[in-house]
Amino acid sequence: MLVGVKTVFFKSVSHQLYGTPELHFEIRMAGINHLNNHPEIYIESFSDNSWEDYIQQMSTPGTWCDNLIIQAVANVYNCVVQPSDYSGIILNPQFGIQNISKFPHFL
């Protein structure tokens, strides 16, 4: 198994926003913080174990991303995440990175 594959989403977002994949952990944690601060947005879509277990697991580097953390990262950075067919992602800033008061719809 390729070790870096599990962080490809976060590295891709880091590269798109900051020009380097090195900030992938900061991207992950921004999403985790958003999940912690706004569980009401996401918890109805969650059906596995406990919310706390999910947050703990997703906080672990190397954990595969899922639709909830992808949406949280998109909301934090006010971007629409469009998965592509070439194992990359495209970010379209909607409201500017500084304005996080409005969340765009995730399609």
Side-chain angles (χ1 to χ4, degrees):
M1 172 184 281
L2 299 173
V3 175
V5 171
K6 291 184 178 182
T7 59
V8 71
F9 168 73
F10 303 104
K11 287 183 177 184
S12 296
V13 172
S14 176
H15 183 267
Q16 290 289 310
L17 294 176
Y18 301 110
T20 177
E22 297 304 315
L23 298 173
H24 63 92
F25 186 72
E26 287 80 359
I27 300 295
R28 178 187 291 271
M29 293 315 296
I32 294 300
N33 288 335
H34 190 71
L35 290 169
N36 273 324
N37 293 330
H38 303 282
E40 71 281 359
I41 297 173
Y42 308 97
I43 205 156
E44 288 185 23
S45 299
F46 180 74
S47 62
D48 292 340
N49 301 324
S50 74
W51 182 248
E52 292 79 18
D53 288 345
Y54 171 77
I55 296 295
Q56 180 66 33
Q57 178 184 1
M58 196 54 65
S59 297
T60 304
T63 301
W64 290 97
C65 67
D66 65 7
N67 61 310
L68 295 179
I69 192 68
I70 290 171
Q71 182 64 61
V73 168
N75 288 344
V76 167
Y77 293 101
N78 292 311
C79 294
V80 174
V81 177
Q82 298 174 326
S84 69
D85 60 357
Y86 59 89
S87 300
I89 62 168
I90 300 169
L91 294 176
N92 293 322
Q94 297 295 304
F95 305 107
I97 291 176
Q98 299 303 315
N99 180 1
I100 61 171
S101 61
K102 298 179 182 178
F103 302 134
H105 296 286
F106 183 73
L107 305 174

